[in-house]
Amino acid sequence: RSVVTAASSSPAVVTAATDVPGTMKAWAYEEYGDASVLKLDEAVSVPAVGEDQVLVRVAAAALNPVDSKRRMGKFKATDSPLPTVPGYDMAGVVVKVGSQVKNLKEGDEVYGHISEKVLEGPKQFGSLAEYTAVEEKLVALKPKSIDFAQAAGLPLAIETAHEGLERAGFSAGKSILVLGGAGGVGTLVIQLAKQVYGASKVAATASTPKLELLKSLGADVAIDYTKENFEDMPEKYDVVFDAVGQGEKAVKVVKEGGSVVVLTGAVAPPGFRFVVTSDGSVLAKLNPYLESGKVKPVVDPKGPFPFSQVVEAFSYLETGRATGKVVISPV
Ligand code: NDP
């Protein structure tokens, strides 16, 4: 099986080393398919550390729908080669630093989304492993007030929420409708819009049992999509943030000159779609809001799932009914 060379084979770029083994446990797949292609491999080589990278002992990881889409082969043309150790999100402790690493050191508690580009050449050796190598610029120090499991659920989702709001030109005093308010991304769009950007009004959609959650996160209006069609309601918004795949309906409730951010599915004008870019400086910028508790991680109450139950965790995520983040902890 061809896996990366062990870190010990490139000592030149390593400035510090603790007791890092040559091999590790990692979830991996050798062919595309449903969650059953995932196997727990007990002897995957620990990734080598590039000069601008740190090696992290992963304490917790989180799942994203893009992990499932990638595993199904939807991004085959631009994916890294098989076999794949999946996983974008992680929180853990730095155990080695590359020679060009400037700010991080051994022992630092960090979190981040490890692949700068999600779809184009994502890392072959991801976060569902005991160790993962990641560029310093993609991670940030973990807020002290949250634990590893909570931190692991944040990076990809909060960076997506932030990038979408930025691209939409969201700012204080504007109104927003969040489609999919109870999911991994939606729970953070609601909170960032309200707590970080100063939205005048936040509305969000979910099914009946999740309406209280939307309110607790700061939504002024919680729309039950099992009872009402948001697109038939009279209210119009400065921004509509679609985390469901309802781009064609979303554009019906945006004000003239407003923005419609679409994460998945069809896009109708004036909607636009983007793919998140990982950026540790976004996490660093948002850390004060996490430290103070103004923005709260939402970990799905069915989890955290232990590392042995990654297949069960993916099966649950893939129901599309998760609340907040599906987290794997401890790793
Ligand atoms: P989740 O799996 O966390 O979303 C699950 C949530 O979606 C559930 O809480 C569910 O609530 C809600 N939901 C499902 N259907 C509806 C509906 N019709 N109306 C309102 N809510 C609904 O997904 P994420 O938040 O992590 O991601 C959302 C989508 O965005 C995915 O397709 C993902 O791939 C994509 N994405 C794209 C990115 C990009 O860069 N372009 C980045 C990140 C995500 P309920 O049970 O009440 O239905």
Side-chain angles (χ1 to χ4, degrees):
R1 161 111 162 230
S2 111
V3 283
V4 290
T5 47
S8 57
S9 67
S10 57
V13 296
V14 173
T15 58
T18 40
D19 303 331
V20 179
T23 62
M24 62 178 183
K25 282 189 203 168
W27 284 92
Y29 52 88
E30 295 185 331
E31 55 179 333
Y32 293 115
D34 65 20
S36 68
V37 300
L38 282 159
K39 304 283 180 266
L40 183 58
D41 188 328
E42 306 264 340
V44 174
S45 289
V46 170
V49 188
E51 55 183 20
D52 61 342
Q53 292 184 328
V54 296
L55 185 69
V56 176
R57 174 65 179 92
V58 177
L63 309 186
N64 286 283
V66 68
D67 284 300
S68 303
K69 294 174 186 177
R70 179 186 181 197
R71 196 197 60 230
M72 294 303 292
K74 293 196 173 160
F75 314 126
K76 248 181 221 171
T78 53
D79 201 354
S80 52
L82 295 165
T84 300
V85 172
Y88 296 88
D89 276 335
M90 64 82 202
V93 179
V94 173
V95 292
K96 274 185 188 174
V97 297
S99 59
Q100 299 299 314
V101 167
K102 303 221 161 39
N103 298 311
L104 292 176
K105 58 183 191 310
E106 246 188 283
D108 282 344
E109 297 184 351
V110 296
Y111 73 130
H113 151 22
I114 63 155
S115 286
E116 186 165 19
K117 299 279 179 211
V118 180
L119 311 181
E120 294 150 45
K123 286 203 169 66
Q124 186 178 9
F125 293 84
S127 63
L128 288 168
E130 290 179 307
Y131 294 89
T132 199
V134 55
E135 291 75 11
E136 178 182 33
K137 67 178 182 177
L138 303 187
V139 303
L141 291 174
K142 178 181 79 62
K144 290 192 176 56
S145 57
I146 61 174
D147 64 22
F148 285 113
Q150 292 172 315
L154 288 166
L156 191 147
I158 206 168
E159 287 168 10
T160 302
H162 178 267
E163 189 172 340
L165 289 166
E166 286 292 308
R167 286 175 180 261
F170 200 68
S171 59
K174 289 191 176 177
S175 62
I176 186 168
L177 170 64
V178 185
L179 305 178
V185 177
T187 50
L188 290 160
V189 177
I190 293 170
Q191 295 186 83
L192 295 192
K194 194 78 180 182
Q195 309 296 346
V196 178
Y197 288 82
S200 59
K201 183 173 188 176
V202 178
T205 62
S207 60
T208 319
K210 295 175 175 173
L211 302 177
E212 279 311 311
L213 170 71
L214 304 186
K215 290 276 182 76
S216 74
L217 297 174
D220 303 291
V221 181
I223 301 170
D224 184 342
Y225 74 79
T226 69
K227 300 200 171 119
E228 290 180 288
N229 295 324
F230 69 85
E231 70 275 19
D232 298 335
M233 297 167 78
E235 183 92 25
K236 302 268 187 283
Y237 302 87
D238 294 306
V239 171
V240 184
F241 198 122
D242 173 22
V244 173
Q246 299 178 311
E248 280 157 16
K249 292 176 182 169
V251 294
K252 295 185 181 162
V253 292
V254 71
K255 285 182 189 168
E256 182 117 18
S259 300
V260 178
V261 185
V262 177
L263 295 184
T264 186
V267 191
F272 66 89
R273 216 167 129 171
F274 76 100
V275 180
V276 63
T277 300
S278 174
D279 183 352
S281 73
V282 169
L283 301 179
K285 171 184 149 185
L286 296 173
N287 272 3
Y289 297 92
L290 295 158
E291 286 284 6
S292 68
K294 278 195 171 159
V295 175
K296 296 180 188 69
V298 179
V299 174
D300 186 282
K302 285 211 167 51
F305 292 80
F307 194 53
S308 58
Q309 285 179 19
V310 164
V311 174
E312 291 82 350
F314 267 118
S315 299
Y316 175 57
L317 176 75
E318 289 164 20
T319 64
R321 297 277 88 80
T323 300
K325 294 301 303 181
V326 176
V327 171
I328 308 299
S329 178
V331 170

